[in-house]
Amino acid sequence: EPPAEPDTVVRLSIAGPPADAPEPPEPDTPPALDELLERARDLGATGLRFSPSPDGVVAHAKVEDGLRELDALPNADPATIAQALRSDEELDVVLLPTRRGDIVHVWLASDPVPLRKLSELGFDAAAEDTLRSTLAERSGLVVLAGSARSGPTSTAHALLEELATAERSVLTIEDPIERTLDGVDQIEAGPESGLTVAQGLGRILQTAPDAVFVSETADERTADLVVRGAEQALILTTVHADTAPDAVRRLVGLGADQSVLAVSLRAVVAQ
């Protein structure tokens, strides 16, 4: 005999959402990204970062003093953002996996800041006259002290513009080259060229230049070459230091010969 029917029968069914239920939110679309890219460029940002948040993604502009929040994208998906950004071949997109989710960082190519002349850098008249007199010399060391983004490289570019004449052989060894300068022969150090700053400077000094710019003195060999090279040419270099005395101590700490430094040093500009 067939089994008896239970007294109570519970029938289950899987139903779809109600007809009037809202549609699930769609991910943010590329036009929103275009607007954020434009806003970041207007701020002079070097990059645009999309970081995961509990509700989606937050967009920040990478500006000189840190990150500045632009907008929250509650329904954004990092993979979709990265794919949309990578469709533009001019953008350099980096994906960083973190425990909270992927960070999407895009580097922005910004218009170069106009090259400023020495007279436009804000030095008082006495300091400017001293620098011009120093640039007229055929040998000696000029040290530009400061942290990154405090201005020493901009000052160096202004001084190089003053030095770049048809009568002078002016060369640089830079890591990296930040700006192309008229009348200056620039050499880039780094993996692509296979040169360190010290190696490049050593080769430059063998050509008996009139003036040389070294983008940074940061190791013992470079410090030695900078100080000794200043006996035969005018050498400009940046050093990470907060004050003029700190810059001198930095060179000595790197192993520069103090007696040679005392003779070669012409000026220290702290910014």
Side-chain angles (χ1 to χ4, degrees):
E1 293 184 1
E5 289 286 339
D7 295 335
T8 303
V9 177
V10 178
R11 302 186 184 277
L12 299 177
S13 64
I14 301 176
D20 58 350
E23 292 292 329
E26 293 291 331
D28 286 280
T29 54
L33 301 182
D34 291 338
E35 179 184 346
L36 289 169
L37 287 166
E38 188 64 30
R39 288 172 60 189
R41 290 189 177 103
D42 289 343
L43 291 171
T46 59
L48 181 60
R49 176 173 295 187
F50 298 89
S51 302
S53 71
D55 299 322
V57 170
V58 178
H60 292 86
K62 179 70 174 70
V63 293
E64 186 171 335
D65 57 354
L67 293 175
R68 184 176 303 179
E69 183 172 335
L70 295 181
D71 207 349
L73 308 176
N75 307 315
D77 171 55
T80 302
I81 291 174
Q83 182 178 7
L85 292 170
R86 283 173 172 158
S87 66
D88 186 341
E89 295 182 356
E90 296 183 1
L91 297 177
D92 182 8
V93 181
V94 180
L95 197 63
L96 305 171
T98 73
R99 175 166 286 185
R100 295 187 298 117
D102 291 339
I103 292 175
V104 181
H105 188 97
V106 53
W107 292 102
L108 302 177
S110 57
D111 295 330
V113 177
L115 179 63
R116 291 190 292 175
K117 298 183 180 297
L118 179 57
S119 59
E120 299 172 336
L121 294 180
F123 292 112
D124 60 41
E128 186 176 328
D129 288 344
T130 298
L131 282 173
R132 291 188 187 280
S133 298
T134 301
L135 295 180
E137 299 190 29
R138 290 296 178 178
S139 64
L141 177 61
V142 178
V143 178
L144 308 172
S147 59
R149 299 186 181 276
S150 66
T153 302
S154 296
T155 301
H157 290 160
L159 297 178
L160 288 168
E161 186 188 43
E162 296 279 332
L163 287 167
T165 64
E167 296 78 24
R168 273 189 160 181
S169 169
V170 182
L171 296 95
T172 73
I173 180 69
E174 304 173 66
D175 184 12
I177 294 174
E178 296 185 14
R179 178 191 292 273
T180 301
L181 302 168
D182 293 336
V184 178
D185 292 316
Q186 296 171 267
I187 301 170
E188 186 164 80
E192 290 189 8
S193 65
L195 285 175
T196 65
V197 171
Q199 289 170 335
L201 178 56
R203 295 186 188 184
I204 288 172
L205 292 174
Q206 291 174 7
T207 68
D210 294 311
V212 182
F213 169 56
V214 181
S215 63
E216 183 186 356
T217 297
D219 59 74
E220 182 177 354
R221 179 59 177 156
T222 304
D224 181 65
L225 286 170
V226 159
V227 172
R228 296 187 183 280
E231 295 181 298
Q232 70 180 69
L234 185 64
I235 307 287
L236 286 67
T237 187
T238 71
V239 172
H240 280 290
D242 294 327
T243 65
D246 284 344
V248 175
R249 283 192 286 268
R250 172 68 172 155
L251 289 173
V252 173
L254 288 171
D257 187 297
Q258 295 188 53
S259 60
V260 179
L261 179 61
V263 173
S264 300
L265 188 61
R266 296 287 183 272
V268 180
V269 180
Q271 298 178 256

